[in-house]
């Protein structure tokens, strides 16, 4: 499939290793003690106690030789650094928005955006808000509403664009609440909380039309823009011959602005930005930026970070890289699917999502089947994954608790970091845990914060 020609099946990494990091091989007993001490929350583990870290693909990828070289060009001038202009040029080349506002990561861009346009009585629709996006919308007093198509909520549906927005529901919501109460529409590409599933160009155009009719701006949460564009190239009729960078430009041309985490597709360990065409919004956002992040030509970043992002953006849209990236994620997901582990299909771009509710039908959602699976994968094989389900989304702003739409466990793949043998090991561990699934127990939360509880909650296994 990928040796540059189509003759061979093996997914060869389009890079070789230049610097290595040791992994610590702990015993199962040591891991059981570590997770107990962590209150059964993998966010509280020490990273050295993890063998294969699939907690997130955010900021955990390997930078390239050329990115490390770019770092040496970092100019740390407070204002007007050449690194800022390099960064701004790279962002504008792909996305084309008039104003680019650098931030230390994606959620800072969200906080600034909703600090300007949010507020009580307002509603912000999306296909599916990511947790920090939802939290920032809600922190502003606004309501965050998810309007992904029905197939996007069905783990077994094979729809090619399960991240698509339900356009009729969007139009109905805007009509019901009134245009004055909808400051913008957000579309997450790819749809992380819904399984890393892409949004089609056709759907973006349809959302654009609804927004145009209502006079409501459209923003992309574009963290995984390159993976989304690759899926469009592979799956959308008429798109197969196109350059991915070109598809990215078309996606951006359909929007009025974007938020971005440079820790995802831009291949960096830190960074982000807010971009838009609206001069007034940009002015207000820059004022908030100076208050919370830094001067507008560096945001929360060092000049060297700006350089690494600019270089990373050119690598993110490489066809060789994206072919490997999407195929290698599918390799893991398809192996699990073949061995009967229920996974969200088709396999997403940056991660494989195991359907914990289907794997552990004996554990009700409010006893957190996803959390149970996360703990088991760690105890059994040292794999750190992430619950995306009732722990993450179950607590409503009014304090009540309801099951999330799905109870998923995400195996996120850091970019260019693990080899196929790491992935083969992950497959083996998942198969072993799935075989013994009937013996897994539910959990209860013994301590949780008011917001974003999954990061710091402490759990106890149920008897
Ligand atoms: N939007 C999406 C779709 C994301 O996946 C993330 C982060 C953010 C916004 C926020 O960006 O972390 O730079 O502040 N997702 C990470 C993850 C944390 O693990 O999926 P950030």
């Amino acid at each position: 499939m990928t040796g540059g020609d189509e003759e061979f099946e093996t997914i060869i990494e389009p890079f070789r290793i230049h610097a290595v990091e040791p992994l610590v091989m702990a015993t199962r007993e040591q891991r059981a003690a570590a997770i107990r001490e962590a209150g059964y929350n993998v966010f509280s583990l020490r990273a050295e106690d993890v063998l294969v870290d699939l907690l997130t693909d955010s900021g955990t990828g390997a930078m390239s030789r050329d990115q490390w070289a770019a770092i040496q060009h970092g100019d740390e001038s407070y204002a007007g650094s050449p690194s800022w202009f390099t960064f701004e040029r790279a962002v504008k080349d792909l996305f084309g928005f008039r104003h680019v506002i650098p931030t230390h990561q994606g959620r800072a861009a969200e906080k600034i955006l909703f600090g300007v346009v949010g507020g009580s009585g307002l509603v912000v629709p999306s296909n599916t808000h990511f947790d920090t996006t939802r939290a920032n919308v809600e922190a502003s007093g606004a309501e965050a509403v998810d309007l992904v198509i029905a197939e996007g909520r069905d783990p077994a549906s094979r729809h090619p664009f399960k991240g698509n927005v339900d356009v009729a529901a969007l139009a109905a919501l805007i009509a019901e609440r009134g245009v004055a109460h909808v400051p913008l529409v957000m579309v997450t590409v790819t749809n992380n909380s819904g399984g890393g599933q892409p949004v089609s160009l056709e759907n973006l155009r349809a959302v654009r039309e609804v927004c145009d009719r209502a006079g409501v701006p459209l923003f992309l949460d574009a963290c995984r823009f390159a993976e989304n564009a690759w899926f469009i190239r592979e799956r959308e009729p008429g798109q197969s011959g196109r350059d991915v960078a070109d598809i990215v430009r078309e996606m951006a041309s359909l929007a009025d602005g974007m938020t971005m985490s440079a820790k995802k597709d831009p291949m960096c360990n830190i960074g982000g930005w807010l971009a838009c065409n609206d001069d007034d919004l940009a002015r207000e956002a820059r004022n908030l930026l100076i208050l919370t992040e830094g001067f507008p030509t560096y945001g929360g970043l060092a000049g060297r970070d700006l350089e690494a992002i600019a270089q990373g953006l050119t690598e993110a849209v490489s066809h060789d890289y994206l072919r490997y990236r999407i195929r290698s994620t599918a390799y893991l997901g398809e192996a699990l699917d073949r061995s009967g582990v229920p996974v969200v299909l088709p396999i997403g771009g940056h991660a494989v999502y195991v359907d914990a509710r289907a794997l552990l039908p004996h554990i009700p959602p409010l006893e957190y089947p996803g959390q149970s699976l996360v703990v088991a994968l760690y105890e059994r094989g040292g794999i750190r994954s992430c619950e995306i389900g009732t722990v993450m989304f179950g607590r409503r702003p009014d304090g009540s608790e309801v099951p999330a739409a799905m109870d998923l466990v995400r195996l996120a793949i850091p970019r260019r970091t693990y080899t196929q043998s790491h992935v083969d090991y992950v497959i083996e561990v998942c198969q072993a845990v799935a075989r013994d699934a009937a013996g897994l127990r539910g959990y209860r939360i013994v301590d949780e914060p008011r917001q974003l509880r999954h990061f710091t909650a402490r759990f106890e296994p149920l008897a």
Side-chain angles (χ1 to χ4, degrees):
M1 172 73 211
T2 75
D5 58 53
E6 306 288 312
E7 186 178 354
F8 305 108
E9 282 285 306
T10 306
I11 303 156
I12 185 166
E13 289 86 4
F15 49 82
R16 57 187 181 183
I17 292 163
H18 171 64
V20 298
E21 291 179 275
L23 294 176
V24 179
M25 306 282 177
T27 64
R28 199 160 158 179
E29 288 66 39
Q30 286 168 328
R31 289 195 293 263
I35 193 71
R36 196 180 328 113
E37 217 170 284
Y40 297 95
N41 187 334
V42 288
F43 282 99
S44 301
L45 288 170
R46 289 165 178 268
E48 298 101 311
D49 292 334
V50 174
L51 187 56
V52 181
D53 203 345
L54 308 183
L55 181 66
T56 178
D57 64 319
S58 178
T60 52
M63 290 213 298
S64 68
R65 173 194 63 192
D66 293 345
Q67 284 180 291
W68 286 108
I71 277 181
Q72 295 300 321
H73 291 275
D75 179 299
E76 306 305 338
S77 302
Y78 189 92
S81 153
S83 300
W84 152 253
F85 292 106
T86 302
F87 167 85
E88 189 193 34
R89 199 164 45 242
V91 173
K92 284 190 171 174
D93 175 51
L94 273 179
F95 301 100
F97 296 115
R98 194 152 54 233
H99 302 283
V100 180
I101 298 168
T103 59
H104 79 278
Q105 60 183 82
R107 67 199 69 184
E110 294 160 6
K111 174 130 199 332
I112 289 171
L113 176 62
F114 294 109
V116 177
V117 307
S120 60
L122 304 181
V123 57
V124 180
S126 175
N127 44 355
T128 312
H129 290 278
F130 183 65
D131 60 353
T132 59
T133 322
R134 169 173 285 278
N136 274 307
V137 169
E138 289 172 354
S140 81
E143 187 188 346
V145 176
D146 295 337
L147 297 176
V148 75
I149 55 170
E151 291 89 337
R153 291 198 175 88
D154 172 6
S157 158
R158 303 258 181 167
H159 191 289
F161 291 101
K162 286 170 79 173
N164 281 356
V165 178
D166 181 336
V167 177
L170 175 66
L173 181 82
I174 295 175
E176 182 201 324
R177 301 294 181 93
V179 169
H181 295 105
V182 187
L184 56 81
V185 173
M186 197 96 188
V187 178
T188 313
V189 296
T190 56
N191 192 25
N192 184 11
S193 305
Q197 302 291 327
V199 178
S200 69
L201 273 178
E202 186 189 26
N203 188 250
L204 280 177
R205 289 191 201 107
V207 171
R208 173 81 250 172
E209 256 180 59
V210 170
C211 288
D212 277 345
R213 252 184 278 134
V216 172
L218 169 59
F219 271 63
L220 298 179
D221 176 344
C223 299
R224 299 177 182 85
F225 68 96
E227 293 172 5
N228 198 93
W230 183 262
F231 280 122
I232 287 174
R233 186 177 190 274
E234 293 223 304
R235 297 183 184 170
E236 192 156 347
Q239 302 297 324
S240 64
R242 283 182 80 182
D243 183 16
V244 162
D246 218 50
I247 297 175
V248 171
R249 289 184 192 105
E250 184 173 351
M251 288 162 55
S253 75
L254 293 165
D256 300 289
M258 69 189 293
T259 56
M260 179 60 128
S261 168
K263 304 173 74 172
K264 281 84 175 178
D265 277 357
M267 312 264 205
C268 283
N269 303 122
I270 199 71
W273 66 85
L274 167 64
C276 65
N277 289 329
D278 184 304
D279 298 337
D280 294 333
L281 170 59
R283 190 175 319 110
E284 284 190 59
R286 286 201 179 97
N287 286 338
L288 270 183
L289 184 82
I290 292 172
L291 196 64
T292 57
E293 291 282 296
F295 189 72
T297 63
Y298 73 86
L301 296 167
R304 56 178 168 271
D305 300 325
L306 296 169
E307 294 277 355
I309 295 169
Q311 173 59 29
L313 282 175
T314 69
E315 297 172 17
V317 292
S318 144
H319 288 200
D320 281 350
Y321 161 71
L322 284 168
R323 184 177 297 113
Y324 142 79
R325 170 74 174 160
I326 300 303
R327 273 298 302 142
S328 58
T329 304
Y331 172 84
L332 168 60
E334 285 163 10
L336 296 183
D337 182 40
R338 272 197 305 278
S339 53
V341 178
V343 290
V344 174
L345 294 168
I347 304 303
H350 67 296
V352 173
Y353 294 69
V354 180
D355 184 353
R357 199 177 283 175
L359 183 67
L360 306 172
H362 59 290
I363 302 180
L366 293 179
E367 293 179 6
Y368 317 125
Q371 191 64 23
S372 178
L373 180 58
V374 165
V375 172
L377 290 172
Y378 175 71
E379 280 183 347
R380 193 79 178 257
I383 296 165
R384 178 153 68 169
S385 57
C386 183
E387 196 261 12
I388 300 205
T390 303
V391 174
M392 189 179 272
F393 295 116
R395 185 67 73 198
R396 312 311 303 178
D398 68 3
S400 62
E401 192 183 31
V402 293
M406 300 188 267
D407 278 295
L408 304 177
V409 167
R410 185 183 71 171
L411 305 167
I413 318 292
R415 293 170 182 75
R416 308 187 293 203
T417 302
Y418 292 110
T419 63
Q420 187 167 334
S421 57
H422 290 111
V423 174
D424 286 335
Y425 170 80
V426 171
I427 293 166
E428 239 188 299
V429 174
C430 290
Q431 287 166 339
V433 168
R435 259 196 313 277
D436 301 340
L440 298 185
R441 293 171 296 171
Y443 281 78
R444 68 184 193 92
I445 293 181
V446 290
D447 185 40
E448 69 179 281
R450 260 166 25 91
Q451 274 183 347
L452 296 174
R453 65 178 180 172
H454 53 289
F455 289 123
T456 54
R458 293 183 70 83
F459 300 83
E460 245 173 37
L462 291 165

